[in-house]
Amino acid sequence: MPLLDLFVIASMPVLKVLLLTGLGSLLALDSVNVLGEDARKQINQVVFYVFNPALVGSNLANTITIESMGLLWFMPFNILVTFIVGSALGWMLIKITSPPKHLKGLILGCCAAGNMGNLPLIVIPAICKEKGSPFGSPDVCYTYGIAYASLSMAIGAVYLWSYVYNIIRICSSEINQEVADVDVKANGEAPKLVQENYYNSEELTYGLLLPDNTDSQTNIKTFSRTRIVWDKIKIWTRMISEKLNLKSLFAPSTSGAVVGFVIGVIPQIRTLFIGASAPLRVVEDSAFLVGNAAIPVTTLIVGGNLLKGLKGSGIRFTLIVGILAVRFVLLPLLGIVIVKSAVQFGLVHSDPLYQFILLLQFAVPPAMNIGTMTQLFGTGQNECSVIMLWSYALASVSLTFWSTIFLWMLS
């Protein structure tokens, strides 16, 4: 297929994203105020808790089977590679540019985490519907494309909230701790002493109350050590649970993916929900209907959120250029090498649509949820808005270019 035709096919979904994003920005203007900040927060709650889980769950349930599970195992690994490689490039960018401490977590997060859900959910179906698409029948392409993109969204959410969330949290906590230390020194307050070894009193109590004989003392020491070890295990488990924010790992989209996998993989359950003669097919149809609202509504919200970046911030332009170079130049080039090598060694099956979404995962702009994390920890919100504005503004050119290259490679 001629390269110009591939460019037209690749540009159509990006133009749709631009139109919807522009409409969202227009509706969010103060003079219009249809999609103001409060409205965006409320609608985003509906998207997060209802639309996205319905979209992910219904599409995975309809397309994922036991047989297809063996063919899709590489996608979680591929997304993990994007996070690892992006983190390494982000670390190099930090070493080169020496940014302020409160921006290190934001830079690492923007380089590591891409928009694995919303953009593929828009780009893939739009390409499938274009005449001359290299992915075959539009209906089949759409069905499987949505399933691949839904799986990408679910896995990306797990990595995002387990990895990037904790990077930003750790960097933010270090800054907040430094501020607290400065306040303590300024106010002349002494830090509170913490008793680290609080088990000695219990051991002493056991030793005083029980008879003094060798066997008893041995049993006491054994019991005390066992109790100490068990209490430490419980403390460490609680600390790990709090630090990793396990609740965030099981976000609604992830829960929807789990439900979709269970329905799709277990034949007895699948026959109840999937198919023209399924007794509970109305449930799957309703979930599919609700899920279809996720794509346009999410894009409108993105457009409204990007207005914050127009206000500007004190972030250096070299940092923005560095992040854009990582996400739109270096990662796609490395992605081509990684995915093509996986295909060469037989790790990825020959479906061009599946290979396309693996390549696309290296070329998407930073995840929008990074802005939510910066707001949560109170560091780098303005800088994040500027980064997102530039990233999504230039994504129109970058996504069109790389989508054209990927289609040319796979056609």
Side-chain angles (χ1 to χ4, degrees):
M1 181 177 293
L3 193 62
L4 181 60
D5 293 341
L6 292 175
F7 178 82
V8 172
I9 294 173
S11 63
M12 287 300 107
V14 178
L15 290 176
K16 293 178 181 179
V17 174
L18 286 176
L19 289 174
L20 287 177
T21 303
L23 178 60
S25 299
L26 177 64
L27 295 175
L29 291 173
D30 293 336
S31 57
V32 180
N33 200 28
V34 174
L35 200 61
E37 185 172 356
D38 292 336
R40 292 199 304 273
K41 288 181 180 178
Q42 296 297 326
I43 297 175
N44 194 54
Q45 292 285 323
V46 179
V47 173
F48 185 71
Y49 287 104
V50 181
F51 291 169
N52 280 346
L55 178 68
V56 172
S58 61
N59 285 286
L60 288 179
N62 196 43
T63 54
I64 297 297
T65 61
I66 297 178
E67 293 77 13
S68 64
M69 287 289 291
L71 301 176
L72 300 178
W73 70 269
F74 188 79
M75 184 179 290
F77 176 77
N78 190 71
I79 296 177
L80 178 61
V81 170
T82 67
F83 276 71
I84 294 174
V85 175
S87 298
L89 295 174
W91 178 82
M92 294 172 60
L93 177 61
I94 290 174
K95 291 298 181 182
I96 294 173
T97 58
S98 300
K101 288 185 178 181
H102 72 282
L103 294 181
K104 290 183 179 180
L106 174 62
I107 294 171
L108 285 174
C110 289
C111 292
N115 191 330
M116 299 290 177
N118 299 335
L119 280 181
L121 284 171
I122 300 171
V123 172
I124 299 298
I127 289 180
C128 289
K129 292 179 180 179
E130 286 297 315
K131 182 181 294 185
S133 170
F135 302 134
S137 170
D139 293 336
V140 176
C141 174
Y142 179 86
T143 301
Y144 282 92
I146 287 289
Y148 294 155
S150 299
L151 181 60
S152 175
M153 172 188 282
I155 298 170
V158 173
Y159 289 149
L160 179 69
W161 288 101
S162 59
Y163 179 67
V164 175
Y165 172 88
N166 284 286
I167 288 178
I168 296 178
R169 179 189 60 80
I170 292 171
C171 294
S172 301
S173 63
E174 290 178 355
I175 299 300
N176 293 333
Q177 183 62 44
E178 291 181 2
V179 173
D181 292 340
V182 171
D183 291 340
V184 168
K185 292 179 180 179
N187 297 329
E189 297 177 357
K192 296 180 179 180
L193 297 177
V194 180
Q195 184 180 1
E196 296 181 356
N197 190 1
Y198 51 88
Y199 298 102
N200 292 335
S201 59
E202 291 188 9
E203 294 177 15
L204 181 60
T205 301
Y206 292 133
L208 290 174
L209 293 179
L210 293 176
D212 186 13
N213 59 69
T214 305
D215 294 338
S216 297
Q217 291 297 324
T218 303
N219 292 334
I220 291 169
K221 291 180 179 179
T222 303
F223 175 77
S224 299
R225 291 195 188 100
T226 303
R227 181 169 178 175
I228 292 171
V229 172
W230 178 246
D231 287 345
K232 286 184 176 180
I233 291 174
K234 289 192 294 184
I235 292 171
W236 277 105
T237 302
R238 184 170 65 251
M239 289 176 60
I240 292 173
S241 176
E242 292 174 354
K243 287 182 178 296
L244 290 181
N245 193 16
L246 296 179
K247 183 179 178 181
S248 297
L249 295 183
F250 294 95
S253 296
T254 308
S255 302
V258 172
V259 173
F261 273 118
V262 171
I263 295 175
V265 171
I266 301 176
Q268 293 80 2
I269 301 179
R270 184 181 181 86
T271 56
L272 293 176
F273 292 91
I274 308 301
S277 59
L280 299 178
R281 63 185 180 277
V282 66
V283 176
E284 197 274 338
D285 292 341
S286 299
F288 185 80
L289 182 64
V290 172
N292 281 339
I295 298 174
V297 173
T298 301
T299 313
L300 291 175
I301 294 174
V302 169
N305 289 335
L306 291 180
L307 283 180
K308 296 180 182 179
L310 293 175
K311 299 178 181 179
S313 70
I315 187 172
R316 296 203 307 266
F317 190 69
T318 53
L319 287 176
I320 299 176
V321 173
I323 293 172
L324 295 178
V326 169
R327 290 238 56 104
F328 295 149
V329 179
L330 299 179
L331 273 175
L333 290 174
L334 292 173
I336 292 175
V337 175
I338 293 170
V339 175
K340 282 300 181 181
S341 299
V343 174
Q344 188 69 26
F345 286 103
L347 301 177
V348 176
H349 63 92
S350 58
D351 182 6
L353 178 60
Y354 182 58
Q355 295 180 24
F356 178 79
I357 197 168
L358 293 179
L359 291 167
L360 190 65
Q361 288 168 348
F362 285 90
V364 290
M368 291 297 298
N369 278 333
I370 295 176
T372 303
M373 296 175 188
T374 59
Q375 292 176 354
L376 180 63
F377 296 112
T379 56
Q381 303 98 308
N382 295 331
E383 291 87 352
C384 183
S385 298
V386 175
I387 291 173
M388 292 300 171
L389 176 65
W390 280 98
S391 297
Y392 281 81
L394 293 180
S396 58
V397 178
S398 174
L399 273 179
T400 302
F401 173 79
W402 287 113
S403 296
T404 303
I405 298 299
F406 298 156
L407 290 172
W408 175 74
M409 292 170 55
L410 297 172
S411 62

